[in-house]
Amino acid sequence: MKTKMNQLRTVTLVVAIFTGTCLLSAPAKADTAAGEATFKAKCAGCHGADGKGKEAMKTTDMAAADVQKLSDADLSKIISEGKSPRMPAYKTLTPEQVKDLVSYIRSLKK
């Protein structure tokens, strides 16, 4: 009887830990509106308020297929580390801000 109770406690504990881990590790949804605000503050000067790029500066259209086919990790890396020669690194953005910015860039898809 004692062994059965110990096994039941162990199983209950394992299930509780597993459930808690799953709930806490679920990725938070990106905030596209916050990403738009960050884009307007940090990116619109070069990429345009609509993300279409600026011809005079020869900047990238964020809705273009070659941008949209990049993975979220690739976009995050470009935002955080920059892209030579003209794209500056934005190391001061938090991971959450970068995630929101990537979400906004995805919303520009043609």
Side-chain angles (χ1 to χ4, degrees):
M1 183 72 164
K2 215 175 196 183
T3 304
K4 291 272 188 197
M5 289 301 287
N6 284 339
Q7 288 175 341
L8 182 59
R9 282 187 197 130
T10 303
V11 169
T12 302
L13 180 61
V14 168
V15 169
I17 290 171
F18 178 76
T19 303
T21 302
C22 289
L23 290 175
L24 293 175
S25 66
K29 258 191 149 318
D31 184 345
T32 303
E36 180 178 10
T38 301
F39 185 89
K40 289 184 188 227
K42 304 281 187 188
C43 311
C46 295
H47 292 284
D50 59 359
K52 300 289 183 199
K54 290 185 175 180
E55 185 64 35
M57 295 180 77
K58 297 183 181 184
T59 53
T60 304
D61 176 354
M62 298 289 105
D66 60 327
V67 172
Q68 293 294 323
K69 74 178 179 183
L70 294 171
S71 70
D72 288 357
D74 288 339
L75 284 173
S76 295
K77 183 176 180 180
I78 291 169
I79 293 165
S80 298
E81 298 178 13
K83 187 172 179 183
S84 191
R86 297 179 303 217
M87 170 73 189
Y90 286 101
K91 296 180 187 239
T92 59
L93 294 176
T94 66
E96 196 62 36
Q97 287 173 308
V98 172
K99 181 194 256 184
D100 295 344
L101 195 47
V102 169
S103 175
Y104 176 70
I105 291 168
R106 294 284 185 228
S107 77
L108 299 173
K109 188 175 181 177
K110 291 181 180 176

XYZ file of all heavy atoms in Angstrom:
810
model
N 0.826 -1.191 0.000
C 0.000 0.000 0.000
C 0.870 1.254 0.000
O 0.581 2.205 -0.691
C -0.918 -0.042 1.225
C -1.876 1.112 1.302
S -3.125 0.915 0.049
C -4.312 2.038 0.606
N 1.939 1.221 0.817
C 2.840 2.353 0.907
C 3.540 2.601 -0.435
O 3.713 3.747 -0.851
C 3.875 2.067 1.997
C 4.306 3.237 2.765
C 5.229 2.791 3.880
C 5.350 3.899 4.898
N 6.269 3.553 5.950
N 3.928 1.525 -1.103
C 4.595 1.627 -2.393
C 3.669 2.252 -3.431
O 4.083 3.095 -4.220
C 5.059 0.235 -2.866
O 5.883 -0.343 -1.865
C 5.818 0.320 -4.161
N 2.418 1.843 -3.435
C 1.437 2.399 -4.378
C 1.261 3.902 -4.153
O 1.166 4.674 -5.109
C 0.079 1.703 -4.234
C 0.056 0.290 -4.675
C -0.254 0.249 -6.142
C -0.472 -1.205 -6.523
N -0.379 -1.405 -7.924
N 1.228 4.346 -2.908
C 1.063 5.769 -2.594
C 2.288 6.565 -3.055
O 2.152 7.653 -3.597
C 0.846 5.970 -1.083
C -0.514 5.498 -0.594
S -1.877 6.341 -1.406
C -1.741 7.930 -0.629
N 3.464 5.993 -2.855
C 4.685 6.665 -3.302
C 4.725 6.780 -4.823
O 5.133 7.807 -5.362
C 5.928 5.932 -2.794
C 6.184 6.183 -1.318
O 5.701 7.161 -0.757
N 6.929 5.291 -0.691
N 4.303 5.735 -5.506
C 4.251 5.766 -6.960
C 3.239 6.814 -7.440
O 3.513 7.557 -8.389
C 3.879 4.386 -7.512
C 4.986 3.370 -7.395
C 4.533 1.986 -7.848
O 3.348 1.687 -7.920
N 5.516 1.124 -8.128
N 2.091 6.874 -6.789
C 1.061 7.841 -7.148
C 1.580 9.273 -6.941
O 1.375 10.149 -7.784
C -0.217 7.607 -6.330
C -1.389 8.531 -6.645
C -1.792 8.416 -8.115
C -2.555 8.208 -5.745
N 2.269 9.517 -5.845
C 2.845 10.835 -5.582
C 3.881 11.197 -6.646
O 3.927 12.318 -7.131
C 3.509 10.861 -4.201
C 2.543 10.993 -3.086
C 3.269 11.188 -1.753
N 2.347 10.899 -0.679
C 2.574 10.102 0.339
N 3.736 9.507 0.459
N 1.666 9.898 1.254
N 4.721 10.238 -6.986
C 5.756 10.475 -7.998
C 5.134 10.806 -9.344
O 5.544 11.766 -10.003
C 6.684 9.241 -8.126
O 7.253 8.955 -6.844
C 7.769 9.470 -9.143
N 4.148 10.040 -9.749
C 3.471 10.286 -11.029
C 2.792 11.656 -11.006
O 2.886 12.426 -11.964
C 2.461 9.158 -11.352
C 1.569 9.535 -12.510
C 3.197 7.856 -11.642
N 2.127 11.975 -9.917
C 1.455 13.271 -9.797
C 2.466 14.412 -9.884
O 2.224 15.414 -10.567
C 0.670 13.350 -8.464
O -0.266 12.275 -8.432
C -0.055 14.668 -8.339
N 3.588 14.267 -9.223
C 4.630 15.283 -9.248
C 5.194 15.458 -10.659
O 5.368 16.580 -11.131
C 5.746 14.920 -8.260
C 6.910 15.904 -8.168
C 6.424 17.267 -7.706
C 7.973 15.376 -7.231
N 5.457 14.357 -11.330
C 5.993 14.416 -12.697
C 4.995 15.107 -13.629
O 5.371 15.967 -14.432
C 6.354 13.000 -13.207
C 6.631 13.002 -14.698
C 7.539 12.449 -12.438
N 3.728 14.761 -13.523
C 2.703 15.380 -14.355
C 2.606 16.881 -14.064
O 2.516 17.703 -14.975
C 1.329 14.681 -14.164
C 0.214 15.475 -14.814
C 1.381 13.268 -14.734
N 2.655 17.246 -12.793
C 2.581 18.663 -12.410
C 3.780 19.436 -12.960
O 3.630 20.541 -13.495
C 2.507 18.802 -10.897
N 4.961 18.879 -12.845
C 6.162 19.538 -13.364
C 6.081 19.664 -14.886
O 6.373 20.724 -15.448
C 7.438 18.783 -12.935
C 7.652 18.955 -11.430
C 8.655 19.258 -13.714
C 8.751 18.079 -10.861
N 5.677 18.605 -15.558
C 5.565 18.627 -17.009
C 4.551 19.682 -17.459
O 4.811 20.459 -18.372
C 5.161 17.240 -17.533
C 4.989 17.195 -19.017
C 6.092 17.183 -19.853
C 3.723 17.166 -19.577
C 5.936 17.150 -21.224
C 3.554 17.126 -20.948
C 4.661 17.115 -21.777
N 3.396 19.720 -16.823
C 2.360 20.678 -17.172
C 2.855 22.110 -16.945
O 2.663 22.979 -17.797
C 1.079 20.425 -16.354
O 0.647 19.081 -16.587
C -0.024 21.384 -16.723
N 3.491 22.349 -15.814
C 4.022 23.684 -15.524
C 5.071 24.112 -16.524
O 5.087 25.248 -16.982
N 5.937 23.189 -16.893
C 6.972 23.488 -17.873
C 6.356 23.832 -19.224
O 6.768 24.785 -19.879
C 7.934 22.288 -18.020
O 8.500 21.999 -16.752
C 9.026 22.572 -19.022
N 5.373 23.095 -19.642
C 4.704 23.369 -20.922
C 4.026 24.732 -20.906
O 4.108 25.488 -21.868
C 3.683 22.282 -21.244
S 4.440 20.712 -21.671
N 3.362 25.048 -19.845
C 2.661 26.328 -19.754
C 3.629 27.496 -19.716
O 3.394 28.530 -20.348
C 1.750 26.352 -18.521
C 0.522 25.452 -18.574
C -0.212 25.483 -17.240
C -0.416 25.865 -19.696
N 4.711 27.355 -18.986
C 5.665 28.449 -18.858
C 6.549 28.615 -20.081
O 7.031 29.705 -20.347
C 6.533 28.253 -17.617
C 5.793 28.373 -16.290
C 6.738 28.032 -15.143
C 5.212 29.759 -16.104
N 6.756 27.548 -20.829
C 7.633 27.645 -21.987
C 6.877 27.935 -23.279
O 7.491 28.074 -24.322
C 8.445 26.364 -22.146
O 7.593 25.282 -22.468
N 5.570 28.062 -23.218
C 4.801 28.394 -24.418
C 5.219 29.779 -24.897
O 5.269 30.723 -24.117
C 3.301 28.369 -24.115
N 5.570 29.904 -26.172
C 6.029 31.193 -26.664
C 4.920 32.241 -26.602
O 3.773 31.963 -26.912
C 6.442 30.909 -28.112
C 5.735 29.660 -28.485
C 5.509 28.897 -27.214
N 5.309 33.432 -26.188
C 4.349 34.529 -26.145
C 4.090 35.003 -27.569
O 4.991 34.980 -28.401
C 4.904 35.660 -25.304
N 2.876 35.391 -27.819
C 2.536 35.887 -29.137
C 3.185 37.238 -29.372
O 3.267 38.060 -28.473
C 1.028 36.025 -29.264
C 0.396 34.909 -30.029
C -1.024 35.280 -30.325
C -1.518 34.759 -31.513
N -1.741 34.376 -32.581
N 3.640 37.436 -30.570
C 4.236 38.716 -30.916
C 3.144 39.777 -31.011
O 2.003 39.492 -31.371
C 4.970 38.596 -32.244
N 3.503 40.994 -30.692
C 2.591 42.132 -30.728
C 2.893 42.934 -31.989
O 3.822 43.740 -32.017
C 2.776 42.971 -29.466
C 1.800 44.126 -29.365
O 1.156 44.481 -30.372
O 1.684 44.691 -28.262
N 2.106 42.702 -33.041
C 2.335 43.346 -34.328
C 2.211 44.863 -34.230
O 2.978 45.596 -34.856
C 1.364 42.785 -35.391
O 1.539 41.359 -35.451
C 1.629 43.356 -36.760
N 1.269 45.349 -33.430
C 1.100 46.804 -33.270
C 2.348 47.421 -32.630
O 2.798 48.497 -33.043
C -0.140 47.108 -32.451
N 2.903 46.747 -31.636
C 4.133 47.236 -31.014
C 5.276 47.186 -32.027
O 6.121 48.086 -32.067
C 4.472 46.414 -29.775
N 5.300 46.149 -32.852
C 6.306 46.034 -33.902
C 6.197 47.166 -34.907
O 7.205 47.701 -35.370
N 4.966 47.565 -35.227
C 4.764 48.689 -36.152
C 5.320 49.978 -35.546
O 5.975 50.765 -36.235
C 3.281 48.859 -36.469
C 2.999 49.999 -37.433
C 1.531 50.133 -37.798
O 0.681 49.468 -37.174
O 1.242 50.909 -38.714
N 5.077 50.197 -34.262
C 5.591 51.393 -33.594
C 7.123 51.403 -33.612
O 7.744 52.439 -33.880
C 5.062 51.469 -32.166
N 7.728 50.249 -33.352
C 9.189 50.146 -33.386
C 9.695 50.387 -34.802
O 10.690 51.086 -35.008
C 9.658 48.766 -32.879
O 9.181 48.581 -31.544
C 11.162 48.636 -32.911
N 9.000 49.829 -35.787
C 9.383 50.018 -37.186
C 9.371 51.499 -37.543
O 10.317 52.013 -38.134
C 8.437 49.240 -38.115
C 8.843 49.302 -39.565
C 9.711 48.359 -40.086
C 8.378 50.302 -40.403
C 10.113 48.418 -41.417
C 8.771 50.370 -41.726
C 9.644 49.424 -42.241
N 8.301 52.178 -37.157
C 8.194 53.610 -37.477
C 9.288 54.417 -36.794
O 9.811 55.369 -37.359
C 6.816 54.126 -37.129
C 5.782 53.577 -38.104
C 4.408 54.110 -37.901
C 3.511 53.316 -38.793
N 2.595 53.884 -39.579
N 9.680 54.014 -35.599
C 10.712 54.734 -34.857
C 12.128 54.415 -35.342
O 12.985 55.293 -35.379
C 10.597 54.416 -33.366
N 12.379 53.173 -35.707
C 13.748 52.735 -36.003
C 14.024 52.467 -37.485
O 15.172 52.563 -37.911
C 14.070 51.444 -35.231
C 13.897 51.530 -33.738
C 15.057 52.207 -33.102
C 14.939 52.128 -31.585
N 15.943 52.921 -30.932
N 13.004 52.108 -38.259
C 13.243 51.584 -39.606
C 12.677 52.449 -40.735
O 13.194 52.430 -41.851
C 12.632 50.188 -39.733
S 13.058 49.063 -38.389
N 11.609 53.167 -40.447
C 10.897 53.915 -41.495
C 11.767 54.971 -42.157
O 11.562 55.291 -43.331
C 9.627 54.538 -40.926
N 12.747 55.495 -41.436
C 13.628 56.509 -42.024
C 14.313 56.009 -43.291
O 14.516 56.777 -44.226
N 14.639 54.745 -43.339
C 15.296 54.159 -44.512
C 14.350 53.312 -45.359
O 14.439 53.312 -46.586
C 16.483 53.302 -44.082
S 17.805 54.231 -43.298
N 13.464 52.572 -44.704
C 12.603 51.638 -45.422
C 11.238 52.220 -45.773
O 10.416 51.533 -46.377
C 12.427 50.345 -44.617
C 13.693 49.557 -44.515
N 14.206 48.796 -45.541
C 14.580 49.434 -43.486
C 15.333 48.226 -45.165
N 15.590 48.597 -43.916
N 10.983 53.464 -45.367
C 9.700 54.106 -45.657
C 8.653 53.712 -44.635
O 8.710 52.626 -44.056
N 7.713 54.615 -44.422
C 6.654 54.379 -43.434
C 5.834 53.136 -43.774
O 5.319 52.465 -42.889
C 5.747 55.599 -43.334
N 5.726 52.823 -45.072
C 4.955 51.659 -45.509
C 5.816 50.412 -45.683
O 5.333 49.353 -46.060
C 4.211 51.979 -46.806
C 5.144 52.376 -47.948
O 6.382 52.421 -47.740
O 4.641 52.648 -49.050
N 7.128 50.539 -45.432
C 8.032 49.398 -45.556
C 8.413 49.048 -46.975
O 9.061 48.036 -47.218
N 8.046 49.891 -47.935
C 8.303 49.591 -49.349
C 9.716 49.946 -49.790
O 10.084 49.717 -50.930
C 7.297 50.341 -50.241
C 5.860 49.977 -49.972
C 5.552 48.599 -50.456
C 4.081 48.288 -50.248
N 3.800 46.883 -50.278
N 10.494 50.532 -48.888
C 11.849 50.936 -49.234
C 11.843 52.311 -49.875
O 10.789 52.848 -50.218
N 13.021 52.883 -50.000
C 13.167 54.198 -50.619
C 14.118 54.055 -51.799
O 15.266 53.647 -51.638
C 13.704 55.213 -49.616
C 12.707 55.564 -48.531
C 13.238 56.670 -47.644
C 12.193 57.103 -46.638
N 12.694 58.181 -45.767
N 13.608 54.395 -52.975
C 14.381 54.257 -54.210
C 15.700 55.027 -54.126
O 16.753 54.503 -54.494
C 13.558 54.741 -55.405
C 14.233 54.535 -56.745
C 14.458 53.077 -57.097
O 13.615 52.230 -56.750
O 15.484 52.775 -57.730
N 15.647 56.266 -53.631
C 16.852 57.097 -53.562
C 17.926 56.466 -52.679
O 19.117 56.636 -52.938
C 16.494 58.492 -53.052
N 17.500 55.750 -51.665
C 18.459 55.106 -50.753
C 18.742 53.656 -51.134
O 19.590 52.997 -50.538
C 17.920 55.155 -49.318
C 17.797 56.551 -48.770
S 17.154 56.548 -47.087
C 18.617 56.040 -46.190
N 17.997 53.162 -52.104
C 18.112 51.760 -52.536
C 17.955 50.795 -51.372
O 18.733 49.842 -51.215
C 19.409 51.529 -53.279
C 19.502 52.338 -54.548
C 20.749 52.069 -55.312
C 20.676 52.959 -56.515
N 21.651 52.892 -57.464
N 16.945 51.062 -50.546
C 16.693 50.190 -49.405
C 15.657 49.134 -49.765
O 14.886 49.283 -50.705
C 16.226 50.997 -48.179
O 15.124 51.814 -48.548
C 17.347 51.869 -47.644
N 15.647 48.094 -49.004
C 14.837 46.912 -49.264
C 13.359 47.138 -48.984
O 12.990 47.755 -47.994
C 15.347 45.759 -48.380
O 16.728 45.575 -48.640
C 14.606 44.471 -48.649
N 12.538 46.583 -49.867
C 11.088 46.535 -49.680
C 10.806 45.359 -48.745
O 11.101 44.210 -49.078
C 10.408 46.332 -51.032
C 8.902 46.174 -50.965
O 8.325 46.110 -49.857
O 8.279 46.105 -52.042
N 10.274 45.636 -47.568
C 10.035 44.591 -46.579
C 8.956 43.595 -47.004
O 8.888 42.495 -46.454
C 9.642 45.212 -45.232
C 10.706 46.086 -44.607
S 12.099 45.132 -44.002
C 13.319 45.456 -45.221
N 8.130 43.970 -47.980
C 7.087 43.061 -48.458
C 7.593 42.152 -49.578
O 6.889 41.220 -49.976
C 5.878 43.868 -48.945
N 8.792 42.410 -50.069
C 9.334 41.636 -51.190
C 9.503 40.164 -50.815
O 9.769 39.825 -49.655
C 10.670 42.219 -51.627
N 9.376 39.328 -51.817
C 9.462 37.880 -51.610
C 10.789 37.463 -50.985
O 10.822 36.577 -50.123
C 9.246 37.147 -52.929
N 11.896 38.106 -51.397
C 13.193 37.697 -50.852
C 13.322 38.016 -49.356
O 14.048 37.334 -48.644
C 14.357 38.294 -51.642
C 14.373 39.812 -51.652
O 13.300 40.428 -51.628
O 15.480 40.391 -51.693
N 12.606 39.021 -48.881
C 12.594 39.320 -47.444
C 11.646 38.354 -46.740
O 11.978 37.776 -45.706
C 12.168 40.782 -47.177
C 11.973 41.029 -45.686
C 13.187 41.744 -47.758
N 10.469 38.177 -47.288
C 9.450 37.346 -46.654
C 9.844 35.871 -46.588
O 9.375 35.153 -45.723
C 8.108 37.507 -47.371
C 7.511 38.898 -47.215
C 7.129 39.217 -45.784
O 6.669 38.365 -45.047
N 7.335 40.468 -45.385
N 10.733 35.426 -47.490
C 11.144 34.015 -47.449
C 12.212 33.751 -46.383
O 12.483 32.600 -46.049
C 11.634 33.554 -48.818
C 12.989 34.069 -49.212
C 13.430 33.542 -50.555
C 14.796 34.121 -50.900
N 15.237 33.711 -52.212
N 12.799 34.819 -45.828
C 13.769 34.643 -44.747
C 13.075 34.063 -43.519
O 11.919 34.369 -43.252
C 14.416 35.980 -44.381
C 15.309 36.624 -45.440
C 15.690 38.044 -45.014
C 16.559 35.788 -45.668
N 13.792 33.267 -42.773
C 13.228 32.723 -41.536
C 13.140 33.828 -40.489
O 13.810 34.867 -40.603
C 14.101 31.581 -41.006
O 15.328 32.108 -40.527
N 12.322 33.605 -39.467
C 12.230 34.566 -38.367
C 13.596 34.752 -37.715
O 13.973 35.858 -37.335
C 11.201 34.117 -37.326
C 9.772 34.241 -37.826
O 9.547 34.719 -38.957
O 8.861 33.851 -37.071
N 14.346 33.671 -37.597
C 15.676 33.746 -36.997
C 16.610 34.613 -37.843
O 17.386 35.413 -37.301
C 16.261 32.345 -36.817
N 16.519 34.474 -39.167
C 17.355 35.283 -40.056
C 16.991 36.761 -39.953
O 17.868 37.614 -39.872
C 17.226 34.824 -41.508
C 17.911 33.497 -41.779
O 18.807 33.106 -41.002
O 17.535 32.838 -42.776
N 15.693 37.057 -39.961
C 15.264 38.449 -39.823
C 15.702 39.021 -38.479
O 16.191 40.153 -38.401
C 13.742 38.565 -39.969
C 13.183 38.472 -41.383
C 11.661 38.438 -41.352
C 13.671 39.622 -42.236
N 15.545 38.240 -37.427
C 15.949 38.685 -36.097
C 17.445 38.990 -36.051
O 17.870 39.985 -35.458
C 15.611 37.620 -35.052
O 14.222 37.453 -34.971
N 18.233 38.150 -36.688
C 19.680 38.346 -36.712
C 20.042 39.617 -37.465
O 20.886 40.399 -37.011
C 20.366 37.139 -37.353
C 21.869 37.234 -37.353
C 22.506 35.976 -37.897
C 24.014 36.135 -37.874
N 24.695 34.970 -38.386
N 19.395 39.862 -38.593
C 19.666 41.075 -39.368
C 19.295 42.313 -38.559
O 20.039 43.291 -38.515
C 18.910 41.042 -40.719
C 19.512 39.966 -41.626
C 18.957 42.418 -41.397
C 18.684 39.658 -42.859
N 18.158 42.267 -37.889
C 17.729 43.398 -37.068
C 18.723 43.638 -35.933
O 19.134 44.774 -35.690
C 16.309 43.160 -36.507
C 15.280 43.171 -37.642
C 15.961 44.210 -35.449
C 13.924 42.597 -37.257
N 19.109 42.597 -35.256
C 19.978 42.724 -34.081
C 21.432 43.015 -34.422
O 22.102 43.767 -33.711
C 19.916 41.442 -33.247
O 18.607 41.233 -32.792
N 21.926 42.403 -35.499
C 23.347 42.511 -35.829
C 23.643 43.417 -37.005
O 24.790 43.718 -37.293
C 23.911 41.120 -36.092
C 23.828 40.214 -34.882
C 24.341 38.819 -35.149
O 24.987 38.586 -36.203
O 24.092 37.942 -34.300
N 22.586 43.831 -37.734
C 22.782 44.672 -38.900
C 23.163 43.848 -40.118
O 23.318 42.637 -40.054
N 23.281 44.549 -41.233
C 23.666 43.888 -42.484
C 24.521 44.874 -43.263
O 24.070 45.966 -43.593
C 22.428 43.472 -43.271
C 22.733 42.637 -44.478
C 21.475 42.088 -45.100
C 21.799 41.266 -46.317
N 20.611 40.787 -46.979
N 25.709 44.482 -43.521
C 26.661 45.359 -44.180
C 26.204 45.646 -45.615
O 25.606 44.785 -46.245
C 28.019 44.655 -44.169
O 29.029 45.516 -44.559
N 26.438 46.807 -46.152
C 27.201 47.893 -45.562
C 26.336 48.965 -44.885
O 26.847 49.779 -44.122
C 27.920 48.492 -46.763
C 26.968 48.312 -47.899
C 26.231 47.024 -47.585
N 25.019 48.990 -45.144
C 24.243 50.136 -44.676
C 23.306 49.868 -43.513
O 22.949 50.785 -42.788
C 23.415 50.700 -45.834
C 24.263 51.228 -46.966
C 23.399 51.740 -48.065
N 22.515 50.675 -48.514
C 22.151 50.465 -49.747
N 22.556 51.246 -50.680
N 21.352 49.484 -50.063
N 22.870 48.664 -43.327
C 21.881 48.366 -42.289
C 22.559 48.329 -40.925
O 23.403 47.471 -40.663
C 21.216 47.014 -42.588
C 20.355 46.447 -41.499
S 18.821 47.293 -41.300
C 18.265 46.510 -39.792
N 22.210 49.266 -40.023
C 22.851 49.276 -38.704
C 22.313 48.168 -37.802
O 21.210 47.667 -37.997
C 22.477 50.648 -38.140
C 21.161 50.956 -38.781
C 21.236 50.356 -40.167
N 23.096 47.808 -36.822
C 22.669 46.836 -35.813
C 21.828 47.562 -34.769
O 22.124 48.694 -34.405
C 23.887 46.217 -35.145
N 20.771 46.915 -34.325
C 19.925 47.469 -33.264
C 20.051 46.574 -32.040
O 19.128 45.868 -31.663
C 18.473 47.589 -33.736
C 18.293 48.735 -34.698
C 18.227 48.517 -36.061
C 18.231 50.038 -34.233
C 18.087 49.572 -36.942
C 18.088 51.101 -35.103
C 18.021 50.862 -36.457
O 17.894 51.916 -37.322
N 21.197 46.635 -31.409
C 21.496 45.784 -30.252
C 20.739 46.215 -29.001
O 20.677 45.468 -28.040
C 22.990 45.769 -29.989
C 23.753 45.132 -31.139
C 25.239 45.109 -30.890
C 25.930 44.620 -32.120
N 26.715 43.470 -31.992
N 20.166 47.416 -29.021
C 19.450 47.899 -27.834
C 18.016 47.380 -27.781
O 17.354 47.524 -26.755
C 19.417 49.438 -27.796
O 18.778 49.921 -28.982
C 20.827 50.007 -27.699
N 17.534 46.778 -28.857
C 16.181 46.221 -28.848
C 16.161 44.937 -28.024
O 17.076 44.114 -28.109
C 15.705 45.917 -30.273
C 15.512 47.111 -31.200
C 15.128 46.620 -32.594
C 14.450 48.058 -30.668
N 15.103 44.765 -27.261
C 14.947 43.541 -26.482
C 14.538 42.400 -27.427
O 14.028 42.660 -28.530
C 13.857 43.698 -25.409
O 12.586 43.866 -26.058
C 14.150 44.874 -24.482
N 14.729 41.152 -27.022
C 14.267 40.040 -27.852
C 12.765 40.147 -28.171
O 12.336 39.804 -29.267
C 14.572 38.806 -26.997
C 15.723 39.219 -26.140
C 15.472 40.677 -25.839
N 11.985 40.647 -27.216
C 10.546 40.805 -27.436
C 10.275 41.863 -28.513
O 9.410 41.686 -29.368
C 9.855 41.193 -26.119
C 8.370 41.002 -26.138
C 7.938 39.550 -26.350
O 8.604 38.633 -25.857
O 6.920 39.350 -27.036
N 11.019 42.958 -28.499
C 10.852 43.998 -29.510
C 11.238 43.474 -30.891
O 10.573 43.796 -31.885
C 11.703 45.227 -29.166
C 11.173 46.037 -28.010
C 12.125 47.139 -27.613
O 13.315 46.899 -27.370
N 11.602 48.354 -27.533
N 12.292 42.690 -30.951
C 12.715 42.109 -32.227
C 11.634 41.165 -32.741
O 11.277 41.190 -33.925
C 14.084 41.391 -32.094
C 14.427 40.627 -33.366
C 15.179 42.395 -31.742
N 11.085 40.349 -31.852
C 10.008 39.420 -32.237
C 8.795 40.196 -32.768
O 8.201 39.827 -33.782
C 9.595 38.581 -31.032
C 8.497 37.575 -31.340
C 7.910 37.050 -30.066
C 8.370 35.680 -29.752
N 7.747 35.102 -28.572
N 8.443 41.293 -32.093
C 7.320 42.124 -32.534
C 7.616 42.756 -33.892
O 6.737 42.829 -34.759
C 7.032 43.230 -31.510
C 6.560 42.703 -30.168
O 6.163 41.515 -30.080
O 6.578 43.481 -29.195
N 8.848 43.187 -34.089
C 9.249 43.789 -35.354
C 9.175 42.766 -36.489
O 8.676 43.069 -37.584
C 10.665 44.349 -35.210
C 11.183 45.318 -36.241
C 10.205 46.425 -36.564
C 12.505 45.901 -35.779
N 9.622 41.562 -36.239
C 9.525 40.493 -37.242
C 8.059 40.227 -37.575
O 7.682 40.078 -38.749
C 10.241 39.206 -36.769
C 9.911 38.020 -37.669
C 11.742 39.423 -36.697
N 7.204 40.223 -36.582
C 5.771 40.026 -36.801
C 5.207 41.124 -37.692
O 4.416 40.857 -38.604
C 5.032 39.985 -35.459
O 3.641 39.907 -35.658
N 5.617 42.355 -37.440
C 5.140 43.470 -38.277
C 5.648 43.326 -39.707
O 4.887 43.505 -40.653
C 5.575 44.820 -37.689
C 5.162 45.951 -38.589
C 3.815 46.297 -38.742
C 6.096 46.657 -39.327
C 3.424 47.306 -39.594
C 5.726 47.667 -40.184
C 4.380 47.996 -40.311
O 3.986 48.995 -41.183
N 6.920 42.971 -39.867
C 7.470 42.770 -41.219
C 6.688 41.676 -41.943
O 6.367 41.811 -43.124
C 8.970 42.450 -41.152
C 9.749 43.687 -40.682
C 9.496 41.955 -42.499
C 11.195 43.427 -40.306
N 6.336 40.616 -41.232
C 5.523 39.551 -41.842
C 4.144 40.081 -42.276
O 3.608 39.635 -43.283
C 5.321 38.401 -40.854
C 6.585 37.678 -40.524
C 7.004 36.767 -41.650
N 8.174 36.001 -41.236
C 9.256 35.878 -41.989
N 9.313 36.450 -43.168
N 10.281 35.177 -41.568
N 3.611 41.051 -41.550
C 2.282 41.583 -41.891
C 2.316 42.418 -43.177
O 1.266 42.704 -43.754
C 1.723 42.424 -40.737
O 2.328 43.709 -40.686
N 3.501 42.781 -43.650
C 3.631 43.581 -44.867
C 3.626 42.728 -46.132
O 3.665 43.266 -47.238
C 4.942 44.404 -44.821
C 5.044 45.407 -43.673
C 6.439 46.011 -43.656
C 3.988 46.473 -43.787
N 3.576 41.433 -45.953
C 3.635 40.480 -47.086
C 2.620 40.854 -48.155
O 1.478 41.183 -47.861
C 3.345 39.073 -46.563
C 3.552 37.993 -47.551
C 3.340 36.645 -46.877
C 3.557 35.530 -47.847
N 3.417 34.240 -47.185
N 3.076 40.804 -49.392
C 2.212 41.150 -50.549
C 1.146 40.103 -50.758
O 1.286 38.977 -50.481
C 3.047 41.290 -51.805
C 3.929 42.507 -51.753
C 4.718 42.617 -53.042
C 5.591 43.844 -52.988
N 6.464 44.005 -54.114
